[in-house]
Amino acid sequence: MNKRTVLVALLVVLLVGGAIAYRLYHTGVPQAAERTADVSVPAEELFQAFQTDEVAAGQRFNDKVVSVTGTVRDILREKDGRTTVTLESGDPLGGIVCEFAPGTDPGCTTGEKASIKGFCAGFNLDVLLQRCAKSE
């Protein structure tokens, strides 16, 4: 191989690599608002599934878009603009915690029934849904 062929091949590899890196860098994190729910479940049932068998519930729900319906226990607005909505679970010590991105309005009030969808991130005393949106 001569120097010119090696140089052209190297240039092609660099251009393709740069295009891939650019695309990956500018691809945003998926939001639940852009996706349809994989699973729809009442809040009490979702919480009970994780309390009963966390491993089986994790396999069923984790990393999926889950639509949850329940009564709003609490709405917390953080200083950084994020909003967290907690749905009743039937257990006074745990709930379904739904995190909304900064500037996103959850469209619900305390005490009312709400349907929220988000990416299930597992269980740690509460079931956590991330990148949430109001479910239709």
Side-chain angles (χ1 to χ4, degrees):
M1 270 203 240
N2 61 20
K3 288 183 179 182
R4 182 180 169 132
T5 306
V6 171
L7 189 59
V8 168
L10 183 62
L11 184 61
V12 168
V13 169
L14 287 174
L15 286 173
V16 170
I20 291 171
Y22 178 83
R23 183 168 184 223
L24 289 174
Y25 181 78
H26 286 89
T27 301
V29 177
Q31 299 295 318
E34 305 163 353
R35 312 273 298 279
T36 57
D38 298 315
V39 180
S40 294
V41 63
E44 294 85 2
E45 188 178 316
L46 178 62
F47 187 82
Q48 191 61 40
F50 274 97
Q51 248 191 345
T52 303
D53 187 351
E54 187 175 347
V55 173
Q59 290 173 343
R60 182 175 174 205
F61 298 111
N62 286 352
D63 300 323
K64 294 185 177 133
V65 178
V66 179
S67 178
V68 181
T69 302
T71 304
V72 177
R73 178 191 299 169
D74 185 39
I75 299 174
L76 178 64
R77 300 186 195 295
E78 302 287 341
K79 291 179 183 176
D80 65 359
R82 289 180 300 130
T83 302
T84 303
V85 175
T86 304
L87 300 177
E88 290 289 348
S89 64
D91 184 330
L93 299 177
I96 310 298
V97 176
C98 308
E99 294 180 346
F100 289 81
T104 305
D105 180 26
C108 56
T109 58
T110 303
E112 79 175 8
K113 194 168 188 132
S115 291
I116 298 171
K117 64 181 176 178
F119 291 87
C120 186
F123 181 72
N124 187 14
L125 300 178
D126 296 310
V127 178
L128 178 62
L129 299 182
Q130 297 176 325
R131 303 186 311 268
C132 292
K134 187 166 184 170
S135 186
E136 305 303 321

